[in-house]
Amino acid sequence: MLHLRMIVPADRTDAALELLEATVGTAHVAVLAGAARDPRGDVVLCDVAREAADGLLAELRALGLHKDGSIAIENIDLSLSVRAERAEEEAPGEGADAVLWESLTDATHEESTLSATYLAFLTVATMIAACGVVLDNAILIVGAMAVGPEFGPLAGICTALVQRAPRLAWRSVTALVVGFAAAMVLTVGFSLFMDAMGLFHAGALAAERPNTNFIYRPDWFSFVVAVLAGIAGVLSLTSAKSGALVGVAISVTTVPAAANAAVALAYGAYGQAWHSMEQLLLNLAGIIVAGTLTLVAQKLLWARHGTGPARRPRH
């Protein structure tokens, strides 16, 4: 269940209440008349089944509440209510299959912003992976994968393609391209510094490296894993199961490939750098293609329930 907290202009309260009460999947509707001060209006509270929320939000936006009032949504971790259970049973479909597009767009918008924090995480992750490359240490490679924040912009691109949101697409692509470019440039400098300190050496890059040589040897398995990771990553976002994102992060070699390319560039190993870039691009492409197709499939699957909220029959 989700909890809706709305500030509704007084002249639209009756229309909002009529919509909430007529929608299958809603429960616990409450009104605090005149309670809101900024903006002024009535506070309307309501619980709604996840599978009914997207269509309901669309109609609430049609009332202009997002412009002249507000609509806030929270996940309900525990609800001890027979009425809530009945609301979930009445709502069409399954909550696990429902996609809350407003929430997804907002989340990917935030995660795909090119910020100092995003650049710091991506750069640190790339530098950790660079250490893993030189030491042929798989543990450091996995750690770098977990730290990397690149799935946010990738999910943003997938969402933007499905929702036809060019601004989100541009923001996500910018964060991805600029982020990786900056992280790689800084990692080249980091590699040269570590070499000057005697901690990195060219021989380590030229060695066989049985634990990490997959990073610069792209093959069809790389693409297959990226596709599977893209599907799992998008499903984890749309179903609010964020814990699965950790598994997604450590299953693809985006950050390690960028790190290997940076170290190889620092030592003039341009062939290995090129193969690492191929690995990076292959993984990015696989995630974007799979993530976009997964969202399209979810949208088509949910379309059979209608675009608007189901209505309770009038008595």
Side-chain angles (χ1 to χ4, degrees):
M1 294 288 286
L2 301 173
H3 179 67
L4 270 62
R5 185 182 71 253
M6 294 165 283
I7 295 179
V8 184
D11 61 336
R12 273 166 273 181
T13 300
D14 289 341
L17 288 174
E18 182 180 352
L19 174 62
L20 294 176
E21 292 171 350
T23 300
V24 170
T26 58
H28 311 144
V29 179
V31 182
L32 304 177
R37 292 292 179 266
D38 183 20
R40 290 191 173 275
D42 302 328
V43 174
V44 179
L45 308 173
C46 175
D47 294 343
V48 59
R50 182 181 177 86
E51 52 268 41
D54 195 61
L56 178 59
L57 285 176
E59 295 212 16
L60 290 172
R61 284 175 64 93
L63 292 176
L65 301 190
H66 63 297
K67 295 180 180 179
D68 304 320
S70 76
I71 306 173
I73 306 171
E74 300 172 331
N75 282 304
I76 299 176
D77 294 326
L78 177 64
S79 178
L80 302 178
S81 167
V82 173
R83 180 67 189 89
E85 292 176 2
R86 188 164 69 248
E88 289 187 308
E89 291 173 357
E90 293 173 347
E94 295 292 334
D97 296 332
V99 179
L100 197 59
W101 292 101
E102 292 283 352
S103 176
L104 179 62
T105 301
D106 184 70
T108 51
H109 182 278
E110 181 180 349
E111 293 295 326
S112 61
T113 300
L114 183 62
S115 62
T117 301
Y118 169 82
L119 286 174
F121 268 113
L122 189 56
T123 300
V124 169
T126 307
M127 289 179 178
I128 293 173
C131 294
V133 163
V134 173
L135 296 174
D136 192 31
N137 189 314
I139 295 176
L140 291 177
I141 296 298
V142 171
M145 291 175 176
V147 172
E150 73 279 7
F151 192 79
L154 289 169
I157 293 173
C158 298
T159 304
L161 291 175
V162 175
Q163 293 291 84
R164 299 178 183 177
R167 292 182 63 182
L168 177 59
W170 175 249
R171 177 188 293 266
S172 302
V173 170
T174 300
L176 201 63
V177 174
V178 175
F180 270 112
M184 289 176 66
V185 168
L186 291 172
T187 302
V188 169
F190 172 74
S191 300
L192 295 174
F193 171 77
M194 294 292 281
D195 181 78
M197 296 294 293
L199 298 174
F200 279 15
H201 53 91
L205 196 68
E208 181 60 26
R209 292 160 49 198
N211 294 320
T212 58
N213 59 22
F214 66 93
I215 295 172
Y216 58 90
R217 293 179 179 176
D219 54 24
W220 279 109
F221 278 107
S222 302
F223 185 75
V224 169
V225 171
V227 166
L228 296 175
I231 295 172
V234 167
L235 288 176
S236 70
L237 288 177
T238 57
S239 62
K241 296 187 181 299
S242 58
L245 280 177
V246 177
V248 172
I250 61 176
S251 61
V252 291
T253 54
T254 48
V255 167
N260 198 84
V263 176
L265 287 172
Y267 286 114
Y270 300 117
Q272 190 173 138
W274 172 249
H275 291 309
S276 299
M277 289 301 297
E278 287 181 332
Q279 179 76 282
L280 173 62
L281 294 175
L282 194 64
N283 276 269
L284 295 177
I287 293 173
I288 291 173
V289 170
T292 302
L293 291 178
T294 300
L295 286 176
V296 170
Q298 288 181 291
K299 196 167 190 177
L300 293 175
L301 176 66
W302 200 249
R304 63 189 177 90
H305 296 296
T307 56
R311 301 308 179 108
R312 292 192 177 95
R314 294 181 180 275
H315 298 289

